[in-house]
Amino acid sequence: MKIRELRSELVKRLAPLDNPALEARILLSHFLSLSVSELILKDSMEVEKDKEKEILDAASERLSGRPMAYITGKKEFYGHTFFVSEDVLIPQPDTETLVENALSLLNGSRCPKVLDICTGSGAVITALKMERPDIEAFFSDISGKALSIAVRNYEYIVGEKAEAREGDLFKPWRGMRFNLITANPPYVTKEWYESVSMEVKREPYIALIDHGADGLDITRSIIEEAGMHLETDGSLVLEADYRQHAAIRSLLSGHGFSNIMTKKDLSGLERVTFATKKG
């Protein structure tokens, strides 16, 4: 089958998806290692039978709800390509809001120490380090498998050895203080989980679900402990669902934080709340 014929077949099979033409192009580009322009220029090229089967099998996986990022093993975030697997959440554009606000909080600082907990793929800390090479970057995750992906991303993209530790929240960092702490913890309630998309349900459950009724048990723990790990005037930056930020602001205020602010994401929904540790 020629590339153009395989493209047509893919578009036909992927018709139930929102953008079958784009999906087909991504699959062809990935499995044939060809750019978009090369796919056009070489559309009469014959595809080997085993490669054709591999691509059609991938299309079937896609139709079953497997996210494209897990099929290709990569995802773009903040201008960089990250390795991903089923062991980590797929970095989302809305999380770039967290990165942007973290960077704004670092303005005027010199060689700040930055900790990213619940790091997942390491997208946040890696993006921060690439924008601010002077930061001392630290990151951790409760999942050893996720942490190995984060380390791989950080060391491949940044080009230096990672300071990463496996463990729950602040446990790996006892006795250490930082100028900035970022976290995109699990915050989906069991009730909300029932209504998420088929694709989201393919992502790691442990990285999505908070077992509290309001989805904030883990976030509460972070806020309760963060003060012990922040330097004076250090900041905490938290991502959460838009329905949770009023409660997060109240929690931060109750634990002695000041300059509490919430920022909206690309969809105009509250996405990130940050605050400063009082002196």
Side-chain angles (χ1 to χ4, degrees):
M1 193 180 293
K2 292 179 171 60
I3 286 179
R4 62 172 174 266
E5 295 169 335
L6 183 53
R7 186 202 303 268
S8 296
E9 179 62 25
L10 286 169
V11 170
K12 188 187 305 180
R13 293 193 184 195
L14 295 169
L17 304 181
D18 289 340
N19 195 334
L22 175 61
E23 302 264 355
R25 188 177 74 209
I26 293 172
L27 288 175
L28 288 169
S29 179
H30 173 69
F31 285 100
L32 298 178
S33 299
L34 295 174
S35 67
V36 174
S37 58
E38 287 173 329
L39 286 174
I40 296 170
L41 292 171
K42 300 180 179 182
D43 70 344
S44 61
M45 185 180 83
E46 286 286 340
V47 180
E48 295 178 1
K49 287 293 183 183
D50 59 341
K51 186 62 68 173
E52 178 185 317
K53 182 179 184 305
E54 189 178 11
I55 294 170
L56 292 174
D57 286 348
S60 296
E61 289 181 34
R62 189 72 189 93
L63 284 170
S64 76
R66 189 180 184 200
M68 183 65 80
Y70 290 156
I71 293 173
T72 63
K74 58 191 177 184
K75 176 70 174 180
E76 297 293 320
F77 180 82
Y78 220 80
H80 306 285
T81 301
F82 287 82
F83 301 111
V84 295
S85 75
E86 276 86 352
D87 296 310
V88 299
L89 293 181
I90 299 166
Q92 297 298 323
D94 286 334
T95 298
E96 295 189 357
T97 306
L98 190 158
V99 175
E100 289 164 359
N101 284 282
L103 288 169
S104 69
L105 290 165
L106 293 173
N107 282 340
S109 61
R110 295 182 61 186
C111 302
K113 289 185 176 182
V114 179
L115 171 64
D116 184 46
I117 57 176
C118 307
T119 198
S121 67
V124 168
I125 193 65
T126 301
L128 289 173
K129 179 68 175 179
M130 291 301 290
E131 294 297 312
R132 284 288 303 268
D134 64 315
I135 71 172
E136 291 185 60
F138 305 84
F139 54 99
S140 57
D141 200 283
I142 195 172
S143 165
K145 291 181 178 180
L147 193 63
S148 67
I149 296 290
V151 168
R152 181 186 180 194
N153 280 319
Y154 183 90
E155 294 186 347
Y156 180 79
I157 295 170
V158 175
E160 66 178 45
K161 185 172 175 56
E163 181 59 63
R165 300 180 185 179
E166 181 181 345
D168 188 21
L169 303 182
F170 294 106
K171 287 180 181 177
W173 310 106
R174 295 301 185 203
M176 293 186 67
R177 290 180 179 269
F178 306 89
N179 302 104
L180 179 73
I181 296 171
T182 58
N184 182 9
Y187 54 74
V188 177
T189 68
K190 288 184 176 180
E191 180 183 357
W192 296 347
Y193 185 76
E194 295 306 314
S195 62
V196 301
S197 70
M198 183 168 55
E199 287 191 22
V200 171
K201 287 183 177 177
R202 299 291 287 266
E203 299 193 56
Y205 189 81
I206 189 175
L208 289 168
I209 298 296
D210 179 283
H211 293 283
D214 59 359
L216 291 175
D217 280 3
I218 296 172
T219 297
R220 282 190 186 87
S221 295
I222 292 171
I223 292 172
E224 288 169 3
E225 293 187 59
M228 295 182 291
H229 295 278
L230 281 169
E231 299 284 4
T232 299
D233 296 325
S235 297
L236 173 63
V237 190
L238 296 164
E239 178 169 336
D241 184 85
Y242 71 94
R243 292 163 283 192
Q244 297 169 318
H245 287 279
I248 290 173
R249 289 191 292 269
S250 178
L251 286 166
L252 287 164
S253 178
H255 283 84
F257 284 85
S258 61
N259 303 322
I260 302 167
M261 295 186 66
T262 299
K263 295 292 184 178
K264 295 179 179 179
D265 60 22
L266 300 171
S267 302
L269 299 173
E270 292 189 333
R271 173 66 55 175
V272 172
T273 292
F274 53 91
T276 303
K277 177 187 175 183
K278 295 178 181 178

